């Protein structure tokens, strides 16, 4: 089981075409990310929280929207917005392109911690109400599971869309 | 030639400008893709812009998907908004990024010109219709040309310098050779050109290709294959990267201009050998460029060549931007860096920049060139250079070398050096963040924020300057810049006017990143 895991393969020193899609992630990006979440939460609270929704719903909404955007941008969309890479990253999502697919690098750890901390903050502010907690937990699972190295190159829509002759595919087709 | 450099540097330091510490050691700072030298607020705004662009694009696609799901193809977003996207084909979810970029930067991309690329260029005006498409207007605007690779100004005085000889060869040989080099497309003009080029750069023999990009793409696979190691600089041009990949050899990269890292890569490679079998490598080739076109930086050739010699690796230098522009007599990076051309095994260059021609060359020992001529697809299957273009390059080369008896070549080389140094100094004095080294004719100025690309282009066009703005993905996400290419055809007055106009534009757009955090 372990030989297909991302961390057990030695990092590929050869090449690389510097993947400009992912090489810009750094400390400033994390600060920006957290900053945007808080600004978004504050704006949602001001705009929606005082008029349409109650406080629990605003926090849950922020968490759900963050989860959807996170999943779409980092795990659903594949490829690179440039045609200079010989289609090397055509089937790889943004997360899988990060750090050449090596798992548990500092950047990846930070990007995993942020949704967890957000979940805890939201759970606290919704006072652990079971319904909202269940919804938030589902969204957290949606966001956190694809980041696990066990899910490297795993696609759950249909196995027909996957490369049939890809040796790193852990499931039999 | 180093005196100009030292004088300029001393004067610049004397100005006592507020420079970030990174600015002083230019070759190590901004060119390293992972470390920008910008303030957090500017970088946040860059991230915010890209996030908005991507999210808006994804939302557009999502709504399109929903509409198609409910209504079938009878109702799409295109029909709903009446705006045609500028880019149609591509991966369904990532073409939206291309289209976002093309729509927002439409005035920077695909400009149409209607004159020779001299010091002045006529740009056809365009406008964007309400439905999103771009339309050409009937008017043109004559602008100062700060974007074309017209380094020695041959496009300006072509009528006087090269025209007669070129037209004569047009009558003799016609426009095309209608054959490849090995099968009948090798005329006496080509032979003379190859011998002249070889003598000019200081090598035994040379072979010429019809396309500069194609030279790298077809020559590297001809000689290097499986079992060879290609060690290339991080910032090498796409043609080198593609040629290396096409060859099937193993590729490793070393940090830009970093001689210590090159040594460690070489040591590791030689000690470990080939990837699985650990057999020794068949050949090891170190590939660098003379002048890097997106950063304007000159290669540390002396250090790299000594490292390659120490570990007995071959050297390959791509002089696309440095041949005819660097060095006292225009012989490129070897002359500029004081390196003996015999130490560099393969010298490659293009004729598009300084010689006002087309195509590329490879110069090396006679055996190697004969082998390449018979094995490379660029000579075997691709068409050989047009004899007219070959004659143009030959004439330009004769002028640069001084063999036509006039002082014109020397004057041109002096002009481009003076012009680039003057322009660079003035831009730095203004407080703009300028990349690159002295004497290089390529002058990139950082804009950082991607929306400034489009507005900079528009403001410059209003004032009669034609510039080239570069953004993601040609450069990194945080590296949006405008790249000025100075030529010997520019007069000092042209450059002074340009500086005044750029001063206004820089004030409007807040580009003085060297003076303050927000520019």
């Amino acid at each position: 089981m372990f030989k297909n895991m991302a961390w057990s393969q030695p990092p590929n020193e050869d090449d690389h075409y510097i993947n400009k899609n992912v090489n810009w992630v750094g400390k400033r990006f994390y600060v920006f990310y957290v900053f945007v979440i808080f600004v978004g939460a504050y704006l949602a609270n001001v705009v929606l929280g005082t008029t349409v929704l109650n406080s629990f719903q605003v926090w849950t909404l922020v968490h759900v929207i963050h989860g959807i955007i996170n999943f779409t941008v980092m795990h659903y969309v594949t490829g690179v917005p440039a045609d200079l890479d010989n289609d090397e990253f055509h089937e790889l999502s943004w997360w899988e392109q990060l750090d050449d697919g090596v798992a548990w690098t500092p950047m990846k750890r930070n990007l995993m911690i942020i949704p967890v901390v957000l979940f805890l903050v939201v759970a606290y502010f919704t006072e652990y109400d079971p319904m909202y907690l269940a919804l938030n937990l589902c969204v957290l699972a949606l966001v956190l599971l694809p980041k696990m190295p066990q899910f490297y190159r795993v696609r759950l829509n249909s196995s027909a869309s996957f490369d049939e002759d890809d040796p790193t595919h852990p499931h039999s087709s | 030639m180093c005196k100009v450099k030292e004088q300029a540097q001393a004067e610049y330091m004397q100005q006592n400008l507020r420079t970030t510490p990174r600015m002083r050691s230019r070759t190590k700072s901004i060119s390293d893709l992972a470390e920008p030298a910008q303030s957090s607020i500017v970088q946040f705004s860059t991230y915010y812009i890209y996030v908005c662009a991507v999210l808006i694009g994804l939302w557009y696609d999502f709504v399109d998907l929903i509409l198609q799901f409910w209504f079938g193809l009878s109702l799409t977003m295109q029909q709903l908004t009446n705006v045609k996207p500028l880019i149609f084909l591509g991966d369904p979810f990532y073409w939206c990024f291309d289209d976002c970029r093309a729509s927002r930067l439409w005035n920077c991309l695909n400009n149409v010109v209607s004159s020779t690329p001299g010091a002045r260029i006529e740009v056809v005006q365009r406008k964007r219709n309400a439905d999103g498409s771009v339309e050409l207007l009937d008017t043109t605007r004559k602008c100062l040309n700060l974007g074309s690779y017209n380094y020695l100004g041959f496009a300006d005085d072509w009528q006087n310098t090269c025209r007669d000889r070129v037209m004569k060869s047009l009558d003799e040989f016609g426009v095309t050779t209608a054959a490849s080099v090995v099968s009948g497309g090798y005329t006496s003009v080509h032979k003379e050109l190859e011998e002249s080029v070889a003598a000019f750069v200081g090598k035994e023999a040379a072979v010429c290709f019809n396309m500069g990009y194609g030279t790298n793409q077809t020559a590297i696979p001809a000689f290097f294959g499986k079992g060879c190691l290609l060690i290339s600089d991080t910032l090498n041009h796409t043609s080198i990267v593609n040629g290396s990949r096409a060859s099937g050899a193993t590729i490793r990269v070393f940090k830009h201009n970093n001689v210590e890292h090159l040594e460690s890569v070489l040591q590791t490679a030689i000690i470990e050998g080939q990837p699985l079998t650990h057999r020794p490598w068949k050949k090891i080739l170190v590939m660098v460029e003379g002048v890097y076109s997106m950063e304007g930086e000159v290669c540390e050739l002396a250090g790299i060549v000594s490292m390659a010699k120490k570990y007995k690796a071959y050297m390959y230098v791509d002089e696309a931007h440095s041949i005819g522009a660097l060095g006292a007599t225009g012989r490129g990076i070897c002359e500029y860096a004081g390196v003996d051309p015999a130490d560099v095994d393969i010298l490659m260059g293009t004729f598009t920049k300084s010689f006002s021609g087309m195509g590329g060359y490879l110069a090396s020992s006679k055996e190697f060139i004969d082998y390449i001529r018979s094995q490379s697809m660029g000579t075997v299957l691709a068409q050989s250079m047009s004899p007219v273009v070959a004659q143009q390059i030959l004439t330009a080369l004769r002028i640069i070398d001084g063999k036509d008896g006039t002082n014109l070549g020397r004057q041109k080389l002096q002009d481009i050096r003076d012009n680039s140094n003057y322009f660079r100094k003035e831009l730095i004095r203004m407080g703009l963040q300028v990349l690159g080294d002295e004497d290089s004719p390529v002058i990139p100025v950082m804009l950082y924020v991607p929306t400034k690309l489009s507005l900079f282009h528009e403001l410059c066009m209003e004032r009669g300057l034609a510039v080239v703005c570069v953004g993601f993905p040609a450069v990194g996400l945080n590296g949006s810049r405008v790249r000025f290419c100075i030529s010997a055809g520019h007069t000092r007055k042209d450059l002074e006017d340009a500086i005044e106009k750029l001063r206004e534009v820089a004030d409007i757009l807040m580009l003085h990143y060297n003076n303050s955090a927000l520019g």
Side-chain angles (χ1 to χ4, degrees):
Chain A
M1 177 177 93
F2 286 112
K3 64 173 156 7
N4 290 327
M5 298 304 174
W7 70 73
S8 63
Q9 286 158 2
N12 191 8
E13 281 172 0
D14 298 346
D15 226 325
H16 241 62
Y17 168 77
I18 300 237
N19 190 357
K20 289 191 184 122
N21 199 22
V22 293
N23 73 335
W24 46 270
V25 184
K27 194 172 82 143
R28 284 186 179 176
F29 176 65
Y30 303 131
V31 174
F32 168 75
Y33 188 177
V34 171
F35 181 69
V36 159
I37 292 175
F38 278 118
V39 165
Y42 178 72
L43 284 175
N45 197 25
V46 160
V47 169
L48 297 170
T50 50
T51 55
V52 177
L53 309 167
N54 66 25
S55 156
F56 288 7
Q57 288 167 341
V58 165
W59 278 110
T60 312
L61 183 72
V62 166
H63 189 223
V64 165
I65 289 184
H66 165 259
I68 291 175
I69 294 179
N70 199 342
F71 180 75
T72 312
V73 169
M74 287 195 198
H75 303 287
Y76 190 67
V77 180
T78 61
V80 171
D83 54 358
L84 300 176
D85 67 329
N86 288 356
D87 280 345
E88 187 180 333
F89 303 111
H90 190 260
E91 281 294 324
L92 292 181
S93 64
W94 189 86
W95 181 259
E96 287 154 3
Q97 293 171 26
L98 201 52
D99 290 331
D100 287 333
V102 175
W104 303 121
T105 64
M107 281 180 198
K108 286 195 172 172
R109 277 184 226 191
N110 289 337
L111 285 173
M112 275 199 227
I113 287 172
I114 292 178
V116 171
V117 166
L118 182 63
F119 169 74
L120 292 173
V121 163
V122 166
Y124 171 76
F125 279 112
T126 59
E127 288 169 18
Y128 306 102
D129 188 86
M131 210 158 50
Y132 292 116
L133 198 63
L135 177 61
N136 286 329
L137 202 56
C138 287
V139 172
L140 178 69
L142 177 74
V143 163
L144 209 51
L145 280 180
K147 296 184 166 61
M148 293 286 162
Q150 282 83 348
F151 276 80
Y152 181 71
R153 299 196 78 151
V154 169
R155 304 282 183 263
L156 297 178
N157 40 15
S158 76
S159 46
S161 69
F162 209 95
D163 292 331
E164 292 291 322
D165 48 350
D166 186 2
T168 64
H169 188 192
H171 304 296
S172 57
S173 48
Chain B
M1 79 208 74
C2 289
K3 250 190 151 184
V4 175
K5 189 173 176 167
E6 275 158 8
Q7 270 174 8
Q9 267 182 357
E11 211 178 333
Y12 152 57
M13 295 302 240
Q14 249 178 16
Q15 298 292 332
N16 209 11
L17 299 167
R18 201 209 94 166
T19 56
T20 59
R22 289 176 175 282
M23 217 21 222
R24 291 204 189 97
S25 57
R26 262 193 290 243
T27 50
K28 284 201 284 269
S29 63
I30 298 161
S31 57
D32 195 346
L33 291 168
E35 296 172 43
Q38 49 186 308
S39 69
S40 303
I41 299 184
V42 171
Q43 198 163 353
F44 277 23
S45 57
T46 312
Y47 288 144
Y48 176 71
I49 287 164
Y50 280 116
V51 164
C52 282
V54 168
L55 290 183
I56 290 173
L58 287 176
W59 176 250
Y60 180 100
D61 278 349
F62 179 67
V63 172
D64 205 14
L65 196 70
I66 299 290
L67 286 178
Q68 285 185 25
F69 183 63
W70 280 108
F71 298 105
L73 281 171
S74 57
L75 182 65
T76 58
M77 273 300 271
Q78 193 177 319
Q79 288 165 350
L80 210 60
T81 58
N82 266 339
V83 173
K84 288 199 277 280
L86 278 180
I87 295 193
F88 286 89
L89 303 177
D91 263 345
F93 271 98
Y94 252 109
W95 78 262
C96 81
F97 182 84
D98 267 347
D99 184 53
C100 283
R101 184 172 55 99
S103 317
R104 286 170 177 80
L105 300 179
W106 71 275
N107 61 342
C108 300
L109 306 170
N110 302 326
N111 273 306
V112 180
V113 302
S114 67
S115 76
T116 58
R120 293 260 178 310
I121 194 169
E122 276 195 28
V123 180
V124 177
Q125 303 293 91
R126 301 181 298 163
K127 75 171 169 64
R128 192 121 188 254
N129 298 329
D131 71 345
S133 61
V134 176
E135 197 184 298
L136 289 178
L137 298 173
D138 286 331
T139 55
T140 63
R141 184 168 173 137
K142 208 168 177 81
C143 304
L144 181 69
N145 189 3
L146 288 172
S148 293
Y149 300 135
N150 179 27
Y151 291 156
L152 293 182
F154 277 109
D156 295 290
D157 49 22
W158 185 78
Q159 300 285 340
N160 303 332
T161 50
C162 307
R163 186 182 188 278
D164 297 331
R165 194 70 194 82
V166 167
M167 288 309 183
K168 188 151 157 267
S169 88
L170 180 62
D171 292 331
E172 277 175 49
F173 290 101
V175 174
T176 172
T177 56
S180 68
V181 170
V182 302
S183 58
Y186 192 58
T187 65
S188 55
V189 187
H190 294 89
K191 187 164 181 331
E192 207 184 332
L193 175 63
E194 288 177 0
E195 285 165 4
S196 307
V197 165
F200 185 65
V201 299
K203 289 300 227 183
E204 260 188 327
V207 59
C208 294
F209 295 75
N210 195 20
M211 197 175 144
Y213 185 102
T215 311
N216 278 328
Q217 182 92 22
T218 54
I220 299 176
F223 197 64
F224 298 94
K226 220 157 143 35
C228 301
L229 176 64
L230 304 171
I231 306 181
S232 76
D233 191 293
T234 327
L235 297 177
N236 269 346
H237 192 248
T238 318
S239 58
I240 299 180
V241 172
N242 280 350
S244 317
R245 288 174 163 209
S247 68
T250 314
I251 311 172
R252 302 250 163 100
V253 292
F254 71 95
K255 290 191 187 138
H256 178 60
N257 266 348
N258 195 334
V259 181
E260 289 86 22
H261 192 236
L262 172 64
E263 175 159 30
S264 83
V265 170
L266 273 167
Q267 277 178 346
T268 321
I270 293 175
I271 291 171
E272 290 180 1
Q274 295 187 27
L276 287 173
T277 57
H278 296 290
R279 292 203 196 115
W281 298 99
K282 288 189 193 157
K283 303 173 199 112
I284 301 185
L285 183 72
V286 177
M287 302 198 282
V288 291
E289 283 189 35
V291 168
Y292 292 92
S293 59
M294 280 304 161
E295 284 74 27
E297 289 183 10
V298 175
C299 163
E300 306 248 350
L301 194 64
I304 292 176
V305 163
S306 70
M307 203 52 65
K309 260 169 75 169
K310 181 171 160 189
Y311 291 95
K312 302 214 177 60
Y314 296 118
M315 271 298 306
Y316 182 103
V317 177
D318 179 343
E319 292 204 76
H321 285 267
S322 54
I323 190 76
L326 286 188
T329 57
R331 277 164 166 74
I333 182 74
C334 288
E335 189 183 12
Y336 184 74
V339 169
D340 188 7
D343 284 341
V344 178
D345 297 282
I346 309 171
L347 280 167
M348 178 261 170
T350 60
F351 297 122
T352 27
K353 279 80 180 185
S354 303
F355 301 93
S356 190
M358 185 177 134
Y361 69 87
L362 215 67
S364 181
S365 67
K366 190 161 184 326
E367 301 92 42
F368 183 77
I369 294 297
D370 285 341
Y371 182 83
I372 290 281
R373 199 178 281 134
S374 62
Q375 293 295 320
S376 158
M377 292 302 116
T379 46
V380 172
L381 293 179
Q383 189 175 350
S384 67
M385 209 187 265
S386 160
V388 181
V389 176
Q391 183 59 52
Q392 154 70 28
I393 300 165
L394 205 47
T395 319
L397 193 53
R398 229 177 252 143
I399 292 176
I400 295 173
D401 224 353
K403 294 224 170 72
D404 62 335
T406 67
N407 208 15
L408 190 57
R410 196 154 272 273
Q411 188 60 43
K412 280 181 188 288
L413 288 165
Q414 186 72 31
D415 281 343
I416 186 178
R417 200 171 311 129
D418 292 342
N419 284 350
S420 353
N421 288 340
Y422 169 74
F423 202 70
R424 186 184 293 275
K425 224 159 40 103
E426 288 297 320
L427 289 178
I428 294 177
R429 204 198 295 255
M430 248 199 265
L432 309 182
Q433 200 158 49
V434 176
L435 308 183
D437 298 332
E438 297 290 331
D439 295 334
S440 110
V442 173
I443 303 178
V445 171
M446 299 303 291
L447 299 178
Y448 291 126
V449 182
T451 42
K452 289 188 187 179
L453 288 172
S454 164
L455 196 50
F456 189 91
H457 196 271
E458 194 183 313
L459 290 173
C460 281
M461 191 60 79
E462 269 173 30
R463 289 164 175 74
L465 301 174
V467 297
V468 167
C469 298
V470 193
F472 182 79
V475 290
L477 203 76
N478 297 318
S480 310
R481 63 198 71 173
V482 57
R483 185 183 66 173
F484 297 115
C485 290
I486 303 298
S487 102
H490 290 134
T491 58
R492 185 53 74 94
K493 180 146 190 329
D494 287 337
L495 295 182
E496 282 168 8
D497 289 340
I499 291 285
E500 280 313 307
K501 292 173 183 162
L502 287 175
R503 208 184 293 272
E504 290 168 21
V505 175
D507 283 335
I508 298 173
L509 286 180
M510 291 165 56
L511 296 176
H512 310 278
Y513 290 112
N514 256 355
N515 289 345
S516 70
L518 282 181

